[in-house]
Amino acid sequence: MRMALAEAEHAPLTGDVPVGAVVLGPDGSVLSRARNEREATGDPTAHAEVLAIRRAAAEVGQWRLSGCTLAVTLEPCTMCAGALVLARISRVVFGAWEPKTGAVGSLWDVVRDRRLNHRPEVVSGVLAAESTRLLEEFFRGQRGAAGT
């Protein structure tokens, strides 16, 4: 999670919300790292989780990421939750809860929907205070900049 936090800290440099993600292989090795890049690329799907999953799949040479763990600083949205289910990620670990758009237990619980053929293990609240602090500082700065 600390690696994901380090990625998140770089996202605001491009105007992106500070969310970072890391995919770890079954042996604990780092397969990929990513941060939000929506503003930087103009791509609405450039969430940290999606980018990290894409890069990990390229690293291992296949789309199935069975046995892998996705660590992300913010609870994934529906798009990202769907992507990690489709990639067969075995475990998702996240920091801060996202009550407005979260899809791993807050607003929805996509990853534990029994109608789906894959349900990853979920570990929530890891370094939540640090993740929340980054987000609060970013949005405080955004509101301050909008008021000037």
Side-chain angles (χ1 to χ4, degrees):
M1 184 59 82
R2 293 213 185 275
M3 285 184 273
L5 279 165
E7 285 295 319
E9 288 173 355
H10 295 290
L13 299 174
T14 58
D16 282 288
V17 175
V19 177
V22 176
V23 176
L24 302 170
D27 63 354
S29 64
V30 177
L31 297 177
S32 66
R33 303 170 196 231
R35 66 185 68 107
N36 275 357
E37 295 182 12
R38 292 187 312 167
E39 299 298 330
T41 63
D43 179 355
T45 68
H47 289 204
E49 302 95 308
V50 170
L51 296 174
I53 289 168
R54 287 178 184 160
R55 292 170 187 165
E59 178 67 22
V60 299
Q62 66 172 345
W63 63 268
R64 284 183 189 87
L65 297 175
S66 300
C68 293
T69 296
L70 171 72
V72 60
T73 58
L74 182 65
E75 178 185 3
C77 69
T78 52
M79 174 182 69
C80 295
L84 68 94
V85 167
L86 293 173
R88 308 299 194 267
I89 297 279
S90 294
R91 179 182 305 108
V92 59
V93 177
F94 70 88
W97 289 94
E98 174 47 280
K100 293 181 181 177
T101 62
V104 185
S106 286
L107 188 58
W108 293 287
D109 201 350
V110 171
V111 299
R112 290 183 214 133
D113 190 319
R114 294 203 176 276
R115 295 169 291 183
L116 299 176
N117 64 346
H118 178 73
R119 288 180 295 282
E121 175 188 355
V122 175
V123 180
S124 59
V126 177
L127 299 179
E130 292 90 333
S131 299
T132 300
R133 180 188 49 77
L134 277 177
L135 292 161
E136 288 174 346
E137 288 174 1
F138 174 79
F139 287 113
R140 190 176 308 115
Q142 294 291 87
R143 284 190 295 275
T148 56

